Every structure is written in structure tokens, then in C-alpha cells.
Amino acid sequence: MFGNLGKASKYLGQAARMMIGIPDYDNYVAHMKKNHPDKPVMTYEEFFKERQEARYGGKGKGGFRCC
């Protein structure tokens, strides 16, 4: 019972982070290790910065502007 509760908590947390736009670093690391073991894994800071730039723009790629 507590195992299922722990899993549910994990998925609810993940869903809440996705809803407010916080990237899930643990899933990124698991994905990279499973599907791209020959490529380097970004640090959390690199990953977070890359996700922010992809979401809000950066490096002249457009993105969100408030005014």
C-alpha cells in the first residue's frame, strides 16, 4: 500500500512540476542514460538554463516577450 502511495506521490509531483513549467531533471538523466549513453549528461544548472531558454527564448531564438 505504501509503495503505491509513494509512486502516486512521485507522479503527482512530476505532473505538478510540468504544469508550472519546472523541468524534471531526474527523468532527463534517466532518458540520457537509457537512450544516449555515449553522450554527456548536462548538470542540473546546464539543464535548467537550457530548458528556460527553450521555453522563454534565448540566444536570439525568439520566445516569450511581455512587451
Side-chain angles (χ1 to χ4, degrees):
M1 177 174 166
F2 290 114
N4 289 338
L5 200 57
K7 287 181 184 177
S9 174
K10 177 183 173 186
Y11 292 122
L12 286 174
Q14 184 180 18
R17 283 191 298 273
M18 289 175 67
M19 288 173 63
I20 61 172
I22 297 175
D24 192 345
Y25 182 69
D26 293 337
N27 280 344
Y28 160 74
V29 172
H31 171 82
M32 289 300 288
K33 287 182 178 178
K34 180 179 178 184
N35 298 307
H36 310 283
D38 55 325
K39 295 186 177 179
V41 177
M42 291 185 278
T43 64
Y44 180 80
E45 290 78 16
E46 292 169 335
F47 173 76
F48 193 81
K49 183 177 179 182
E50 190 274 332
R51 291 289 80 214
Q52 279 190 321
E53 288 177 354
R55 182 175 179 134
Y56 299 112
K59 299 180 182 175
K61 294 182 180 176
F64 176 77
R65 271 187 82 171
C66 65
C67 47

